[in-house]
Amino acid sequence: MEKFREKIASIRAEADAANARADEYEKKYKELEQIQMQQEHEIIALTNQNKHLEEDLHTAQEKIESLKAIEEEDDDLKKENDAAQRKITLLEQELEKSEKAVREATKNFREADVKAEHFERKVQQLESLSFDQEKKVEELKAKIIELQSQLDDYYELLNVSPTAEALQIKKAYRYFVIYHPDKNKGSEAEEKFKQISEAYQVLSDPQLRACYNKYGKDNELAPEGGFTDPREHFQQMFGGDAFRNIIGELAVGEMFSDAQQEGLMDNEGTTKLKNKEQIEKMKRLQQERIDKLADTLIHKLNMYTDTKGEQDDIKKFQESIKHEAEKLKNESYGIELLHSIGGVYTLKARHHLGIKGGGMPSIFVGFKQKKHIVKELWTTVKVAMDVQQTAELISKAEQSGMNDSEKLKLEEEIATKTYKALWQTSKFEVEATLRSVCDKVLQDKGVDSKIRTKRAIALKWIGFIYKNTEAEKSALDIQMKAQ
């Protein structure tokens, strides 16, 4: 690698020297052009002067002829004739000098023209040489990039120092969310995200990181069971396995992933479904997800619905949910997910219970629920548009020219906004899924209305606990209101 860099430096030095010589030759060429222009002006002036001298000579000759005619008649005319003759002699001498100057100027002009052509050829040769050298530099750069991609350092991929703490590595991984294929459709984004994900999985594991620091990158250096899929690993940042039984597999990115695998991208690069089979497949997978989550939620609610509903049963159920919330809040985006899930559970439970459950009429709860959906939809669209506008701003700024510090600042801004957009999209999708899950649980005709009512009451308790879980306080201290 060092030899390549030295080679590039040498070629660049030769190119700089060639450019300097070209600039010097161009300067001399311009000076010769100025001299040439001056000489052209002198030639024109001398030509004009020669023309005037010829006219004066012609006039003098005519005057001599006139004087000769009257020479014998007047001595004064003779003297005048002698003076005119002397003037003619002087004019002839001036004319001879002028012609000599014209010949000299013409000679110099031709020599300057020859030198200019010579310098022009030199400049063209240097430009050709410089172009060839620049082409070689670009080829070497391409080779270096190709080699570098095979030797990428995990710390360099995440842009952290080898002494970085675990929290810094986690923050760096979040920054590189800009390369997530769901938000970056570039041809290199998929591979870049895989490399970054691999680096994070190694450096976030203390034992693997220690081995990497000691022995470097190795094909055998991988987590137990191998590296996880980048999308699967990325999902861990939004709840992870702890929330999987509550929200299921996040669907964000699956549509793009399927389209990429099956070649369903149109010429403009936008995702396009081929036919109804693809739509049916997506619906089937989502329905399977809803059915599975509904069964899991029913099993959880059964801890209360299968009891007689006495105070000890209620307390035992609520304490179980509090312990669960206390554990879930420590996951990535745990608090945010709990509040989001709790909001859906609460609204759905109140909508089902209505006035009979001591709350507002179902129609008002339904209106509140729709208002929340519209608000979340607008927020999701807004953050996506914000990311797009920031990306366009970076593109325009790069075209107009920007320094590295400004570019880094914009890249950090778009990384933060992209991560926010991914979270908001995931949140919106999770809430939509959970609303369908709740509908399936609370509208289950396979059980009687009393069981469905007890499910709604238990669901309302879960929603209250989830919504009131805080990072700084224990969920076990949550005081339940009269439900």
Side-chain angles (χ1 to χ4, degrees):
M1 185 65 67
E2 189 63 27
K3 289 183 179 181
F4 279 120
R5 290 178 180 151
E6 290 176 359
K7 183 68 175 180
I8 291 174
S10 174
I11 293 175
R12 282 179 176 165
E14 291 178 5
D16 291 340
N19 288 331
R21 288 196 298 272
D23 292 339
E24 183 180 355
Y25 286 138
E26 185 176 3
K27 182 179 179 182
K28 290 182 179 180
Y29 179 74
K30 289 180 178 179
E31 290 175 355
L32 287 172
E33 284 184 335
Q34 291 177 353
I35 294 172
Q36 181 179 342
M37 289 176 64
Q38 290 175 355
Q39 290 175 346
E40 286 178 349
H41 288 311
E42 290 176 1
I43 290 172
I44 292 171
L46 290 172
T47 302
N48 291 334
Q49 184 179 357
N50 186 26
K51 183 177 180 181
H52 292 313
L53 290 174
E54 287 178 349
E55 290 175 354
D56 291 344
L57 178 60
H58 181 69
T59 302
Q61 288 175 343
E62 288 179 349
K63 198 168 185 180
I64 289 172
E65 292 298 328
S66 177
L67 289 173
K68 283 182 179 180
I70 60 174
E71 183 179 2
E72 295 179 354
E73 298 179 0
D74 193 345
D75 292 338
D76 292 336
L77 291 175
K78 185 177 180 181
K79 292 178 181 179
E80 188 177 347
N81 184 40
D82 292 338
Q85 189 65 46
R86 287 194 297 273
K87 189 176 181 180
I88 289 172
T89 301
L90 291 173
L91 289 171
E92 288 176 345
Q93 291 175 354
E94 289 292 332
L95 180 60
E96 185 178 352
K97 290 179 180 180
S98 178
E99 290 178 346
K100 184 177 180 181
V102 170
R103 289 194 296 272
E104 188 67 26
T106 302
K107 181 180 178 183
N108 292 337
F109 175 78
R110 289 175 179 171
E111 291 178 354
D113 193 37
V114 171
K115 289 182 179 180
E117 290 179 358
H118 175 71
F119 280 121
E120 188 175 356
R121 286 195 296 272
K122 284 287 186 182
V123 169
Q124 291 176 350
Q125 291 174 358
L126 288 171
E127 287 178 347
S128 177
L129 178 62
S130 177
F131 176 77
D132 292 340
Q133 289 175 334
E134 289 178 359
K135 187 176 180 181
K136 289 180 180 179
V137 169
E138 292 300 324
E139 290 176 352
L140 286 173
K141 283 182 179 179
K143 289 182 179 178
I144 289 175
I145 292 173
E146 182 180 354
L147 290 173
Q148 188 66 39
S149 65
Q150 302 172 8
L151 302 172
D152 274 333
D153 180 76
Y154 285 155
Y155 291 106
E156 290 181 1
L157 278 170
L158 292 177
N159 197 25
V160 295
S161 68
T163 58
E165 297 180 357
L167 182 60
Q168 291 176 297
I169 293 173
K170 188 173 184 178
K171 287 182 177 179
Y173 181 60
R174 288 186 176 185
Y175 168 77
F176 283 105
V177 69
I178 188 174
Y179 289 104
H180 192 280
D182 299 330
K183 290 297 175 185
N184 189 327
K185 303 298 189 291
S187 59
E188 299 178 359
E190 182 83 14
E191 183 61 30
K192 183 71 173 179
F193 185 68
K194 286 182 180 179
Q195 294 174 4
I196 291 170
S197 179
E198 180 181 315
Y200 176 71
Q201 291 179 62
V202 170
L203 298 184
S204 61
D205 185 305
Q207 293 183 348
L208 292 177
R209 184 179 180 183
C211 291
Y212 175 74
N213 291 339
K214 187 173 182 179
Y215 303 108
K217 194 173 181 180
D218 190 286
N219 291 333
E220 297 181 359
L221 186 66
E224 185 175 354
F227 289 108
T228 60
D229 180 83
R231 284 186 176 83
E232 170 67 22
H233 190 71
F234 187 80
Q235 183 173 352
Q236 298 297 319
M237 301 184 72
F238 293 125
D241 293 332
F243 279 89
R244 204 175 295 271
N245 289 333
I246 301 175
I247 64 175
E249 300 285 346
L250 292 180
V252 176
E254 291 303 321
M255 183 176 177
F256 171 75
S257 177
D258 291 343
Q260 191 178 48
Q261 291 173 5
E262 298 180 21
L264 303 181
M265 302 296 287
D266 63 14
N267 293 333
E268 297 178 357
T270 57
T271 308
K272 186 177 181 181
L273 296 174
K274 258 186 178 181
N275 46 42
K276 293 182 179 179
E277 292 181 3
Q278 182 67 16
I279 298 176
E280 292 301 323
K281 177 185 176 183
M282 293 175 61
K283 287 182 178 179
R284 185 179 70 255
L285 291 175
Q286 178 65 1
Q287 189 59 51
E288 289 175 359
R289 176 187 178 191
I290 292 170
D291 293 343
K292 184 177 180 180
L293 292 178
D295 291 340
T296 304
L297 181 56
I298 289 172
H299 179 74
K300 181 185 291 186
L301 297 175
N302 284 345
M303 290 190 295
Y304 170 69
T305 59
D306 289 347
T307 67
K308 294 180 179 180
E310 298 178 352
Q311 286 299 320
D312 288 342
D313 298 325
I314 295 173
K315 185 177 180 181
K316 184 178 179 181
F317 175 75
Q318 291 177 349
E319 288 299 315
S320 173
I321 300 302
K322 289 179 183 179
H323 280 285
E324 180 192 41
E326 181 66 18
K327 179 181 177 181
L328 291 173
K329 78 176 187 179
N330 295 317
E331 298 297 326
S332 178
Y333 275 78
I335 294 293
E336 291 86 348
L337 279 168
L338 284 172
H339 290 176
S340 179
I341 297 167
V344 174
Y345 283 179
T346 300
L347 284 174
K348 280 296 181 181
R350 286 178 176 175
H351 185 267
H352 181 84
L353 294 171
I355 296 177
K356 293 180 180 180
M360 297 175 62
S362 297
I363 188 171
F364 291 110
V365 178
F367 178 77
K368 186 177 180 181
Q369 181 176 266
K370 290 178 181 179
K371 183 180 177 181
H372 173 77
I373 294 172
V374 171
K375 181 182 177 182
E376 286 298 311
L377 176 60
W378 167 243
T379 303
T380 303
V381 173
K382 186 178 179 181
V383 294
M385 291 174 62
D386 198 16
V387 171
Q388 183 178 1
Q389 289 173 357
T390 306
E392 291 174 354
L393 181 62
I394 290 179
S395 178
K396 291 179 181 179
E398 286 179 342
Q399 291 176 2
S400 61
M402 71 160 51
N403 56 45
D404 292 339
S405 62
E406 292 176 342
K407 184 178 180 181
L408 179 61
K409 185 177 179 180
L410 282 175
E411 286 178 345
E412 290 177 350
E413 181 181 349
I414 195 174
T416 302
K417 290 181 178 179
T418 303
Y419 199 82
K420 182 180 178 181
L422 281 173
W423 156 245
Q424 181 61 35
T425 305
S426 299
K427 177 186 174 186
F428 184 79
E429 185 270 332
V430 164
E431 290 185 357
T433 299
L434 291 182
R435 282 192 290 270
S436 297
V437 170
C438 291
D439 287 340
K440 184 175 179 63
V441 171
L442 298 178
Q443 297 173 16
D444 183 7
K445 302 301 181 181
V447 296
D448 61 37
S449 60
K450 292 182 179 180
I451 295 296
R452 293 198 296 271
T453 299
K454 290 183 73 174
R455 285 180 180 178
I457 293 171
L459 190 65
K460 188 177 177 182
W461 289 336
I462 297 174
F464 181 84
I465 294 171
Y466 281 4
K467 283 177 64 178
N468 288 276
T469 300
E470 299 179 16
E472 304 299 329
K473 297 181 181 180
S474 173
L476 303 179
D477 296 331
I478 295 175
Q479 297 297 318
M480 301 296 294
K481 295 181 181 179
Q483 299 292 321

